[in-house]
Structure formats: structure tokens, C-alpha cells
Amino acid sequence: MGSEDTQSISRIEEHGDTVTVVTPSVQDFWHPDRKSVVSQEWPDLFVSTVRGDERVRVATATHVGDTDGFHIHGGNGVYADIPLVERELTEAEIAWCEDTFTFGGDGRPETLVEFEMPHPETLRRGAQQNDTDVAPALDARIRDPDRRHDILTSIYERIATEDFRATKLSRWKGYPIDLDPEWDPESSDNDDRDAAHLNDMVSMRKDAHLQDFRDVAGFEYRELFSARLRVLGVHEPWLEDRDLVALDVAGAEGWTYCRACGGIAPADRFLHVERRTDEDRTVRVCDDCAERNSRGYWTEDAVARAQDRRAQQEGGQRRIGGEYV
Ligand SMILES: [Zn+2]
């Protein structure tokens, strides 16, 4: 928080019912997968910038009511819409900058952005009650709570479903298993379409749903999704947030993902390979990643042992894609 003499240029200050947020640039909120000064303190919160307009929207990805996993609720569509100001640095902030390596001298920003948001508890109460009337600062694109719930959750579900399909058909991590005939490259209906072509079609549908989500929510799907990952405590050092799929929302219970590439399949088809550095710990990976071992984190012997364990449990050396080795 800084003393009287110096003050960090990236900080939050709680003042009873409100919180003042100070940060070097509004761009600090443009990357939902990176922690901002706000999500650092309150992981369930996310800040969405309204480009071209000097405003931000702050909302919470907290679980509302009996939702769990990746499932959202209309209450997650309640946000605070707040003006932000760009201002020059105070003497105390300049003093703080001069004490740092990054922001000293030429590194000092010319201006800072500042806004005042409702206290996180107010935002959470608005979400839990799915009610914009909880505080004057709260708002939503769709004011009717039941309609908001129906529309937001159904678009969210469509995005998860397209994500699920697109991942199965991905060029890099795809296991095209259990696809509906219209999306199955092996189906005779798709003689003229391969997996890459079908993947492009799915991606276009997903983009349309993402646009719809932005229009009805007032913020981006990815902003809510990344915040939900933080709420769930999901930490995947090798993957980007966008590699992950809301499998439960897509109706894929019992499925999980490869921790190296994000490829998806029923959980029992993955290999659990002992790490080279810590043999007591295994990492869940798909066949391709296990064999490619691009990071050198396990040995060939460890992969063979993992294949044997899977064979004992499942009967036969069946790969994720279905063929035998
Ligand atoms: Zn993989």
C-alpha cells in the first residue's frame, strides 16, 4: 500500500463500501489470463475494459447459488459499470517509481489510470441475488434476472459445446472420438470435408456465439472463463486458459484433458506418467504428448510403465484414438 512518502502505482485502497484502483495503464486489464491488480487481490473478480469509452466493468466469476464447476448463473452477468480517469502521478507515486528498477527514470509512466469500484462484497451480493438493485453502481445488459439467466447460460453452453467439438477436431491436439455424424470426418456425410475443414466450421460457429455473449453480457466470455479458472484453482503451467474446455458445461462428464496439450478424451484413456524429477508424482498426458515428450520431463521407461498400467486397468493397449499398439 505504500507509506506517506511513497506509493505504489499499482495498488488498491479499500474505503469502506468502495475500493480505489490505481494502475499504470488500462491495458493492464486487456489480458484476462494474466492477473491484474484487482484479480491479484480478489481472484473471482475480473475487469473488462470498454474500449473507446473511458469506462470499465467489474464483475465476479464466483459460483452463484448451487452452480459448480464451470457452470455459470445469470448473476455472473451483474457488473459495476464505472468511469475511469487518467491522471498525472502524485509526488508520492513519483517517489515510489524512482525507488524501482522498472519504473525509475525513463521507465516512469506519464499518467496512471484510476477508478473507484464497489467493494467486492457488494459485487458478490449482486451476483448471488442476481439483482442489479443491490447497489446503485450495479448494472447488467439484460435487466430482467430470469431472462438474463436463461440467455447467458444458454449462450455459454453453446460456446462450451463448440469448444468441445473444436478441440476434438484440432490439428494439434485432436482426438476425433465420439463425434456426432455431422461432425465426424470419418462419416460418409463428410466425404469432402476433413478434420481441419470441420474444425474451421466449428470455429466460425464458436466466434458467432462469442460475439453474442459479448453483446448480451457486456464483457468477453474469456474474461469470465479465466476468472472462473482462478475460482476453481486450476493451474496449468503448460497450457493457456483458452486451451481449456468447460467439459461439464458441454455435457462431457467423465472426460478430462491432457495437461501438456489440452487434448480431451474420457479420463481412463490418458496415461499417468511419472516425472523424471519426482517419480512419486505423475502427469496426465495423451499418447502423442507422452511419446513426443518435447519437454523431456519423463523417460521412455516411464511411458512404458504408464502404458502397462492403463492396459491392466482397461484391458489391451488401446490408444486414445482407439487403435491398438
Ligand atoms: Zn497431449
Side-chain angles (χ1 to χ4, degrees):
M1 285 282 156
S3 70
E4 296 278 309
D5 301 331
T6 69
Q7 206 157 32
S8 163
I9 57 170
S10 184
R11 68 181 190 275
I12 50 171
E13 292 168 3
E14 295 187 49
H15 311 285
D17 289 346
T18 63
V19 174
T20 302
V21 179
V22 178
T23 192
S25 163
V26 73
Q27 295 181 20
D28 299 337
F29 301 110
W30 283 5
H31 305 284
D33 45 348
R34 285 187 221 148
K35 280 190 177 169
S36 70
V37 61
V38 174
S39 59
Q40 188 90 34
E41 187 74 14
W42 299 293
D44 63 308
L45 298 195
F46 57 97
V47 179
S48 178
T49 57
V50 185
R51 287 193 203 183
D53 230 349
E54 269 121 30
R55 307 187 73 77
V56 288
R57 290 184 179 146
V58 190
T60 169
T62 191
H63 283 117
V64 176
D66 59 0
T67 55
D68 59 9
F70 284 101
H71 289 275
I72 60 157
H73 187 280
N76 293 118
V78 173
Y79 54 71
D81 186 86
I82 311 152
L84 57 85
V85 290
E86 190 173 355
R87 61 160 176 81
E88 293 186 354
L89 282 71
T90 63
E91 292 294 321
E93 287 162 346
I94 291 171
W96 181 87
C97 285
E98 292 313 315
D99 278 346
T100 68
F101 180 74
T102 312
F103 298 108
D106 292 344
R108 193 170 82 215
E110 285 180 18
T111 57
L112 299 179
V113 295
E114 179 174 323
F115 59 87
E116 194 170 336
M117 57 178 251
H119 194 275
E121 281 310 321
T122 308
L123 284 162
R124 290 178 195 132
R125 208 163 57 245
Q128 290 299 343
Q129 297 177 14
N130 191 19
D131 187 355
T132 52
D133 292 333
V134 161
L138 299 189
D139 203 355
R141 263 323 235 291
I142 303 173
R143 298 301 296 271
D144 180 77
D146 292 336
R147 248 189 103 230
R148 178 164 62 241
H149 180 69
D150 288 348
I151 294 178
L152 264 191
T153 52
S154 67
I155 298 177
Y156 186 82
E157 207 172 289
R158 270 177 253 153
I159 294 170
T161 305
E162 303 298 358
D163 250 350
F164 182 51
R165 249 181 224 134
T167 306
K168 287 181 183 182
L169 292 165
S170 153
R171 292 165 181 79
W172 323 112
K173 53 189 178 182
Y175 289 104
I177 44 179
D178 290 352
L179 281 154
D180 296 334
E182 57 179 314
W183 295 108
D184 187 347
E186 299 298 318
S187 157
S188 55
D189 298 343
N190 288 318
D191 274 350
D192 53 341
R193 299 189 191 104
D194 59 8
H197 185 146
L198 291 164
N199 178 277
D200 287 345
M201 288 169 62
V202 175
S203 299
M204 269 158 48
R205 286 159 59 114
K206 184 184 156 188
D207 286 347
H209 296 320
L210 288 173
Q211 176 75 48
D212 288 347
F213 188 90
R214 187 182 317 145
D215 290 345
V216 302
F219 48 78
E220 304 277 345
Y221 168 84
R222 276 195 59 212
E223 294 168 336
L224 174 58
F225 187 77
S226 287
R228 177 52 61 84
L229 284 170
R230 293 194 296 268
V231 169
L232 291 170
V234 174
H235 175 64
E236 292 298 343
W238 298 342
L239 299 173
E240 306 280 344
D241 290 358
R242 69 170 79 90
D243 289 323
L244 296 167
V245 178
L247 290 166
D248 50 353
V249 180
E253 262 83 18
W255 284 54
T256 192
Y257 57 93
C258 169
R259 298 195 63 189
C261 75
I264 51 173
D268 52 18
R269 301 203 192 177
F270 284 92
L271 294 168
H272 297 268
V273 183
E274 295 138 17
R275 296 170 193 240
R276 193 197 295 268
T277 49
D278 181 0
E279 293 212 338
D280 290 336
R281 288 175 66 208
T282 59
V283 56
R284 182 186 67 235
V285 286
C286 69
D287 291 286
D288 288 352
C289 289
E291 285 159 18
R292 199 179 304 126
N293 192 15
S294 52
R295 295 166 202 273
Y297 280 163
W298 47 79
T299 62
E300 274 180 40
D301 284 350
V303 173
R305 285 195 296 275
Q307 286 169 335
D308 284 346
R309 283 195 297 274
R310 182 176 61 182
Q312 279 160 19
Q313 278 158 18
E314 303 304 316
Q317 282 289 21
R318 195 167 186 272
R319 293 171 61 90
I320 287 181
E323 75 271 34
Y324 288 79
V325 293

PDB file of all heavy atoms in Angstrom, residues 33-49:
ATOM      1  N   ASP A  33      -6.022 -13.684 -18.928  1.00  0.00           N
ATOM      2  CA  ASP A  33      -5.285 -14.800 -18.358  1.00  0.00           C
ATOM      3  C   ASP A  33      -4.121 -14.338 -17.483  1.00  0.00           C
ATOM      4  O   ASP A  33      -3.450 -15.151 -16.858  1.00  0.00           O
ATOM      5  CB  ASP A  33      -4.790 -15.747 -19.463  1.00  0.00           C
ATOM      6  CG  ASP A  33      -4.178 -15.002 -20.637  1.00  0.00           C
ATOM      7  OD1 ASP A  33      -4.338 -13.767 -20.708  1.00  0.00           O
ATOM      8  OD2 ASP A  33      -3.529 -15.649 -21.462  1.00  0.00           O
ATOM      9  N   ARG A  34      -3.875 -13.018 -17.455  1.00  0.00           N
ATOM     10  CA  ARG A  34      -2.829 -12.518 -16.554  1.00  0.00           C
ATOM     11  C   ARG A  34      -3.488 -11.810 -15.391  1.00  0.00           C
ATOM     12  O   ARG A  34      -4.468 -11.091 -15.568  1.00  0.00           O
ATOM     13  CB  ARG A  34      -1.939 -11.509 -17.285  1.00  0.00           C
ATOM     14  CG  ARG A  34      -0.990 -12.180 -18.236  1.00  0.00           C
ATOM     15  CD  ARG A  34      -0.023 -11.139 -18.784  1.00  0.00           C
ATOM     16  NE  ARG A  34       0.180 -11.359 -20.191  1.00  0.00           N
ATOM     17  CZ  ARG A  34       0.424 -10.407 -21.083  1.00  0.00           C
ATOM     18  NH1 ARG A  34       0.497  -9.150 -20.712  1.00  0.00           N
ATOM     19  NH2 ARG A  34       0.596 -10.703 -22.333  1.00  0.00           N
ATOM     20  N   LYS A  35      -2.913 -11.978 -14.226  1.00  0.00           N
ATOM     21  CA  LYS A  35      -3.528 -11.365 -13.056  1.00  0.00           C
ATOM     22  C   LYS A  35      -3.372  -9.844 -13.083  1.00  0.00           C
ATOM     23  O   LYS A  35      -2.288  -9.343 -13.345  1.00  0.00           O
ATOM     24  CB  LYS A  35      -2.919 -11.928 -11.778  1.00  0.00           C
ATOM     25  CG  LYS A  35      -3.519 -13.279 -11.432  1.00  0.00           C
ATOM     26  CD  LYS A  35      -3.115 -13.728 -10.056  1.00  0.00           C
ATOM     27  CE  LYS A  35      -3.790 -15.053  -9.727  1.00  0.00           C
ATOM     28  NZ  LYS A  35      -3.232 -15.644  -8.521  1.00  0.00           N
ATOM     29  N   SER A  36      -4.443  -9.144 -12.801  1.00  0.00           N
ATOM     30  CA  SER A  36      -4.393  -7.687 -12.706  1.00  0.00           C
ATOM     31  C   SER A  36      -4.295  -7.313 -11.233  1.00  0.00           C
ATOM     32  O   SER A  36      -4.377  -8.175 -10.352  1.00  0.00           O
ATOM     33  CB  SER A  36      -5.661  -7.087 -13.311  1.00  0.00           C
ATOM     34  OG  SER A  36      -6.768  -7.374 -12.482  1.00  0.00           O
ATOM     35  N   VAL A  37      -4.148  -6.017 -10.983  1.00  0.00           N
ATOM     36  CA  VAL A  37      -4.060  -5.553  -9.603  1.00  0.00           C
ATOM     37  C   VAL A  37      -5.337  -5.932  -8.834  1.00  0.00           C
ATOM     38  O   VAL A  37      -5.297  -6.173  -7.629  1.00  0.00           O
ATOM     39  CB  VAL A  37      -3.770  -4.035  -9.567  1.00  0.00           C
ATOM     40  CG1 VAL A  37      -4.863  -3.232 -10.244  1.00  0.00           C
ATOM     41  CG2 VAL A  37      -3.555  -3.528  -8.165  1.00  0.00           C
ATOM     42  N   VAL A  38      -6.453  -6.062  -9.548  1.00  0.00           N
ATOM     43  CA  VAL A  38      -7.721  -6.421  -8.895  1.00  0.00           C
ATOM     44  C   VAL A  38      -7.812  -7.930  -8.659  1.00  0.00           C
ATOM     45  O   VAL A  38      -8.107  -8.391  -7.549  1.00  0.00           O
ATOM     46  CB  VAL A  38      -8.929  -5.923  -9.742  1.00  0.00           C
ATOM     47  CG1 VAL A  38     -10.247  -6.421  -9.153  1.00  0.00           C
ATOM     48  CG2 VAL A  38      -8.923  -4.402  -9.823  1.00  0.00           C
ATOM     49  N   SER A  39      -7.530  -8.731  -9.711  1.00  0.00           N
ATOM     50  CA  SER A  39      -7.681 -10.182  -9.554  1.00  0.00           C
ATOM     51  C   SER A  39      -6.581 -10.785  -8.681  1.00  0.00           C
ATOM     52  O   SER A  39      -6.728 -11.874  -8.130  1.00  0.00           O
ATOM     53  CB  SER A  39      -7.725 -10.878 -10.915  1.00  0.00           C
ATOM     54  OG  SER A  39      -6.567 -10.619 -11.653  1.00  0.00           O
ATOM     55  N   GLN A  40      -5.487 -10.046  -8.553  1.00  0.00           N
ATOM     56  CA  GLN A  40      -4.433 -10.469  -7.632  1.00  0.00           C
ATOM     57  C   GLN A  40      -4.982 -10.523  -6.204  1.00  0.00           C
ATOM     58  O   GLN A  40      -4.703 -11.439  -5.447  1.00  0.00           O
ATOM     59  CB  GLN A  40      -3.303  -9.432  -7.693  1.00  0.00           C
ATOM     60  CG  GLN A  40      -2.044  -9.793  -6.960  1.00  0.00           C
ATOM     61  CD  GLN A  40      -1.093 -10.549  -7.867  1.00  0.00           C
ATOM     62  OE1 GLN A  40      -1.044 -10.292  -9.069  1.00  0.00           O
ATOM     63  NE2 GLN A  40      -0.369 -11.481  -7.304  1.00  0.00           N
ATOM     64  N   GLU A  41      -5.767  -9.534  -5.875  1.00  0.00           N
ATOM     65  CA  GLU A  41      -6.323  -9.417  -4.524  1.00  0.00           C
ATOM     66  C   GLU A  41      -7.595 -10.258  -4.374  1.00  0.00           C
ATOM     67  O   GLU A  41      -7.806 -10.895  -3.350  1.00  0.00           O
ATOM     68  CB  GLU A  41      -6.634  -7.930  -4.251  1.00  0.00           C
ATOM     69  CG  GLU A  41      -7.068  -7.623  -2.837  1.00  0.00           C
ATOM     70  CD  GLU A  41      -5.898  -7.671  -1.855  1.00  0.00           C
ATOM     71  OE1 GLU A  41      -4.743  -7.682  -2.311  1.00  0.00           O
ATOM     72  OE2 GLU A  41      -6.175  -7.714  -0.636  1.00  0.00           O
ATOM     73  N   TRP A  42      -8.434 -10.255  -5.414  1.00  0.00           N
ATOM     74  CA  TRP A  42      -9.712 -10.973  -5.370  1.00  0.00           C
ATOM     75  C   TRP A  42      -9.829 -11.804  -6.644  1.00  0.00           C
ATOM     76  O   TRP A  42     -10.334 -11.327  -7.672  1.00  0.00           O
ATOM     77  CB  TRP A  42     -10.873  -9.978  -5.274  1.00  0.00           C
ATOM     78  CG  TRP A  42     -10.822  -9.121  -4.043  1.00  0.00           C
ATOM     79  CD1 TRP A  42     -10.989  -9.540  -2.741  1.00  0.00           C
ATOM     80  CD2 TRP A  42     -10.585  -7.706  -3.975  1.00  0.00           C
ATOM     81  NE1 TRP A  42     -10.874  -8.473  -1.885  1.00  0.00           N
ATOM     82  CE2 TRP A  42     -10.635  -7.336  -2.603  1.00  0.00           C
ATOM     83  CE3 TRP A  42     -10.352  -6.721  -4.933  1.00  0.00           C
ATOM     84  CZ2 TRP A  42     -10.442  -6.025  -2.184  1.00  0.00           C
ATOM     85  CZ3 TRP A  42     -10.167  -5.420  -4.517  1.00  0.00           C
ATOM     86  CH2 TRP A  42     -10.213  -5.084  -3.150  1.00  0.00           C
ATOM     87  N   PRO A  43      -9.379 -13.068  -6.597  1.00  0.00           N
ATOM     88  CA  PRO A  43      -9.300 -13.869  -7.823  1.00  0.00           C
ATOM     89  C   PRO A  43     -10.638 -14.042  -8.553  1.00  0.00           C
ATOM     90  O   PRO A  43     -10.652 -14.294  -9.753  1.00  0.00           O
ATOM     91  CB  PRO A  43      -8.781 -15.225  -7.322  1.00  0.00           C
ATOM     92  CG  PRO A  43      -8.083 -14.919  -6.041  1.00  0.00           C
ATOM     93  CD  PRO A  43      -8.823 -13.768  -5.427  1.00  0.00           C
ATOM     94  N   ASP A  44     -11.744 -13.931  -7.841  1.00  0.00           N
ATOM     95  CA  ASP A  44     -13.036 -14.129  -8.525  1.00  0.00           C
ATOM     96  C   ASP A  44     -13.443 -12.915  -9.354  1.00  0.00           C
ATOM     97  O   ASP A  44     -14.358 -12.993 -10.159  1.00  0.00           O
ATOM     98  CB  ASP A  44     -14.144 -14.460  -7.516  1.00  0.00           C
ATOM     99  CG  ASP A  44     -14.400 -13.335  -6.525  1.00  0.00           C
ATOM    100  OD1 ASP A  44     -13.432 -12.867  -5.907  1.00  0.00           O
ATOM    101  OD2 ASP A  44     -15.567 -12.907  -6.384  1.00  0.00           O
ATOM    102  N   LEU A  45     -12.791 -11.786  -9.138  1.00  0.00           N
ATOM    103  CA  LEU A  45     -13.192 -10.576  -9.865  1.00  0.00           C
ATOM    104  C   LEU A  45     -12.457 -10.452 -11.199  1.00  0.00           C
ATOM    105  O   LEU A  45     -11.321 -10.875 -11.326  1.00  0.00           O
ATOM    106  CB  LEU A  45     -12.896  -9.317  -9.048  1.00  0.00           C
ATOM    107  CG  LEU A  45     -13.599  -9.133  -7.715  1.00  0.00           C
ATOM    108  CD1 LEU A  45     -13.455  -7.694  -7.258  1.00  0.00           C
ATOM    109  CD2 LEU A  45     -15.065  -9.517  -7.765  1.00  0.00           C
ATOM    110  N   PHE A  46     -13.140  -9.878 -12.158  1.00  0.00           N
ATOM    111  CA  PHE A  46     -12.470  -9.551 -13.418  1.00  0.00           C
ATOM    112  C   PHE A  46     -12.904  -8.159 -13.864  1.00  0.00           C
ATOM    113  O   PHE A  46     -13.989  -7.697 -13.549  1.00  0.00           O
ATOM    114  CB  PHE A  46     -12.734 -10.596 -14.508  1.00  0.00           C
ATOM    115  CG  PHE A  46     -14.180 -10.838 -14.843  1.00  0.00           C
ATOM    116  CD1 PHE A  46     -14.772 -10.205 -15.914  1.00  0.00           C
ATOM    117  CD2 PHE A  46     -14.934 -11.719 -14.095  1.00  0.00           C
ATOM    118  CE1 PHE A  46     -16.106 -10.439 -16.239  1.00  0.00           C
ATOM    119  CE2 PHE A  46     -16.263 -11.961 -14.406  1.00  0.00           C
ATOM    120  CZ  PHE A  46     -16.852 -11.323 -15.477  1.00  0.00           C
ATOM    121  N   VAL A  47     -11.981  -7.498 -14.560  1.00  0.00           N
ATOM    122  CA  VAL A  47     -12.205  -6.132 -15.021  1.00  0.00           C
ATOM    123  C   VAL A  47     -12.233  -6.152 -16.540  1.00  0.00           C
ATOM    124  O   VAL A  47     -11.299  -6.620 -17.179  1.00  0.00           O
ATOM    125  CB  VAL A  47     -11.079  -5.190 -14.535  1.00  0.00           C
ATOM    126  CG1 VAL A  47     -11.307  -3.768 -15.037  1.00  0.00           C
ATOM    127  CG2 VAL A  47     -10.981  -5.211 -13.012  1.00  0.00           C
ATOM    128  N   SER A  48     -13.313  -5.679 -17.099  1.00  0.00           N
ATOM    129  CA  SER A  48     -13.463  -5.645 -18.543  1.00  0.00           C
ATOM    130  C   SER A  48     -13.399  -4.198 -18.995  1.00  0.00           C
ATOM    131  O   SER A  48     -14.070  -3.346 -18.428  1.00  0.00           O
ATOM    132  CB  SER A  48     -14.817  -6.254 -18.902  1.00  0.00           C
ATOM    133  OG  SER A  48     -15.024  -6.196 -20.283  1.00  0.00           O
ATOM    134  N   THR A  49     -12.591  -3.930 -20.001  1.00  0.00           N
ATOM    135  CA  THR A  49     -12.484  -2.546 -20.453  1.00  0.00           C
ATOM    136  C   THR A  49     -13.493  -2.308 -21.568  1.00  0.00           C
ATOM    137  O   THR A  49     -13.760  -3.193 -22.370  1.00  0.00           O
ATOM    138  CB  THR A  49     -11.072  -2.239 -20.970  1.00  0.00           C
ATOM    139  OG1 THR A  49     -10.760  -3.165 -22.016  1.00  0.00           O
ATOM    140  CG2 THR A  49     -10.046  -2.380 -19.867  1.00  0.00           C
TER     141      THR A  49
END
